[in-house]
Amino acid sequence: MSFQIMIEPIGQGIEVRDGQTVLDACLRAGVWLPHACGHGVCGTCKVQVLEGECDHGDSSNFALMDFERDEGKILACCAMAQGDIVIEADIDEDPDAQFMPLEDFDAEVVEARMLTPTIRGLWLRTQRPVPFQAGQYVMLHVPGVEGARAFSIANSPQDDLIELHIRRVPNGRATGWLHDELQQGQRVRFTAPNGRFFVRKSAGVPMIFVAGGSGLSSPKSMVLDLLAEGCTLPITLIQGARNREELYFHELFEALADRHPNFTYVPVLSDIAPDDDWRGARGFAHEALKAHFANDFRGHKAYLCGPPPMTEACIATLMQGRLFERDIYTEKFFTAADAASAAPRSPLFKAL
């Protein structure tokens, strides 16, 4: 059984299967709706139902209040149509966004190795190319775990393999399996591409990337994509880590900085002994950011990806240095513990 969804204000009709969420139907039909967590927690995918009825599914009472339900609002990531419906959504098109319809992929693990004591790298080969824009993510299905898990794509769109960086979450069943059970030669399933974290290339201004922990995935993809396309604008990557063991792919970025005069790499360590012979920056990512640019970020666009405390500190630093909201883009990590609290958070990226 299937129903029809009419999407306003674009006036496009699509088909939705019985039991399929409104968001999934839209994405697979090539219609982008704002969304983030995908689990009814953040409220980013809230839309208005103008006609028809929906089952709210697992929508959080915090993300979708009772009075909003009474007004006909739904969370598209959880809601399922109970007949033909008409919805009104905030579809904000960006000239730099490359929207590709969501697809399912089956992949073989061709390489799996530890990148740091807490982050494991996976390299996946699919039978057909995976179209995506640098900065997007996959929704990976983990056996025995309800709901797919989101992981940023770390390779450039020009590469043949899909590269993922998996941070072990304490007591996390999904990341525990991906770290301890999944081996080379096994197969996994995922859907892609997801997300709206991408470089605003048409702006034609210098770019700042700040990454912390496994948040390096998206900036790595973005930087590699820019350099592969021959970008000559100034590109700066600031990579924060606690210590040398947690700082990964730094040799790659140092080599890129040697080959590309427009690319600058600034690694910074926050937990290192005073007598250590580390010659790089010391402290936190936002401190290295402020020092490197002498607290003046005018004329740049900044892309931040990492733990929420790092991201918030960097946002404050950038704004103090006269870079404002319209030029700051974030991707925050969102764990199962965050979801369990059911507290609304924004903007969000779910990585378990």
Side-chain angles (χ1 to χ4, degrees):
M1 182 184 298
S2 64
F3 309 113
Q4 290 292 312
I5 300 177
M6 178 60 68
I7 305 163
E8 300 295 353
I10 62 175
Q12 182 172 342
I14 66 169
E15 184 176 292
V16 57
R17 301 187 309 274
D18 186 21
Q20 182 181 23
T21 67
V22 171
L23 177 62
D24 188 68
C26 289
L27 296 179
R28 291 181 185 276
V31 178
W32 182 84
L33 295 184
H35 63 284
C37 75
H39 294 269
V41 174
C42 72
T44 304
C45 65
K46 193 176 299 179
V47 299
Q48 180 73 47
V49 177
L50 301 178
E51 296 179 21
E53 298 292 334
C54 286
D55 181 339
H56 288 287
D58 295 329
S59 301
S60 163
N61 289 329
F62 289 90
L64 188 68
M65 301 290 186
D66 288 340
F67 76 88
E68 293 177 305
R69 297 170 191 245
D70 294 339
E71 292 173 350
K73 291 184 174 62
I74 61 170
L75 297 185
C77 71
C78 293
M80 292 166 283
Q82 296 181 312
D84 295 345
I85 62 172
V86 179
I87 65 171
E88 184 177 46
D90 181 16
I91 303 177
D92 181 21
E93 292 302 320
D94 189 297
D96 290 298
Q98 301 173 18
F99 183 75
M100 286 80 79
L102 195 66
E103 299 181 68
D104 298 314
F105 294 89
D106 180 77
E108 178 189 1
V109 180
V110 296
E111 185 179 359
R113 58 184 171 88
M114 296 302 294
L115 301 173
T116 79
T118 60
I119 300 172
R120 193 185 196 207
L122 299 177
W123 285 261
L124 312 176
R125 177 182 290 120
T126 55
Q127 293 181 337
R128 66 185 193 279
V130 181
F132 72 95
Q133 188 170 8
Q136 291 189 297
Y137 61 92
V138 307
M139 294 296 295
L140 187 68
H141 298 276
V142 179
V145 177
E146 183 179 358
R149 299 299 190 254
F151 298 102
S152 295
I153 302 172
N155 55 282
S156 74
Q158 294 86 0
D159 293 344
D160 294 331
L161 301 180
I162 292 295
E163 176 185 334
L164 306 177
H165 302 168
I166 313 295
R167 178 179 66 88
R168 183 189 287 273
V169 175
N171 302 315
R173 290 178 58 199
T175 59
W177 186 86
L178 292 168
H179 269 248
D180 301 330
E181 304 296 330
L182 185 62
Q183 301 299 327
Q184 181 177 336
Q186 292 181 246
R187 305 195 72 83
V188 293
R189 295 182 301 111
F190 64 83
T191 57
N194 298 271
R196 295 275 284 187
F197 188 53
F198 55 87
V199 178
R200 273 63 180 181
K201 298 177 182 178
S202 65
V205 299
M207 291 155 281
I208 301 169
F209 297 90
V210 186
S214 60
L216 181 66
S217 303
S218 289
K220 177 176 178 285
S221 177
M222 292 166 154
V223 168
L224 292 176
D225 181 46
L226 288 166
L227 295 178
E229 290 183 345
C231 176
T232 57
L233 292 167
I235 303 169
T236 302
L237 170 63
I238 295 177
Q239 181 186 7
R242 290 192 299 273
N243 50 53
R244 296 194 198 211
E245 287 187 322
E246 293 291 342
L247 185 71
Y248 69 108
F249 277 116
H250 56 284
E251 295 93 346
L252 168 65
F253 295 119
E254 288 172 347
L256 289 173
D258 288 339
R259 292 202 305 269
H260 300 274
N262 63 313
F263 176 59
T264 302
Y265 174 55
V266 182
V268 53
L269 303 182
S270 62
D271 185 14
I272 190 167
D275 59 350
D276 192 287
D277 62 357
W278 168 253
R279 296 183 180 180
R282 295 170 181 256
F284 294 101
H286 69 281
E287 295 170 333
L289 175 65
K290 181 177 181 178
H292 184 77
F293 286 93
N295 200 35
D296 187 351
F297 307 103
R298 289 174 293 178
H300 289 77
K301 284 191 178 291
Y303 303 86
L304 316 176
C305 187
M310 183 214 80
T311 301
E312 297 300 333
C314 287
I315 290 173
T317 298
L318 290 166
M319 295 187 73
Q320 290 166 6
R322 303 179 69 179
L323 192 70
F324 301 105
E325 183 178 1
R326 66 179 181 273
D327 295 315
I328 302 173
Y329 306 91
T330 66
E331 179 189 68
K332 291 184 181 180
F333 285 157
F334 187 37
T335 69
D338 297 321
S341 69
R345 305 164 68 110
S346 177
L348 293 172
F349 173 80
K350 182 171 173 50
L352 180 56

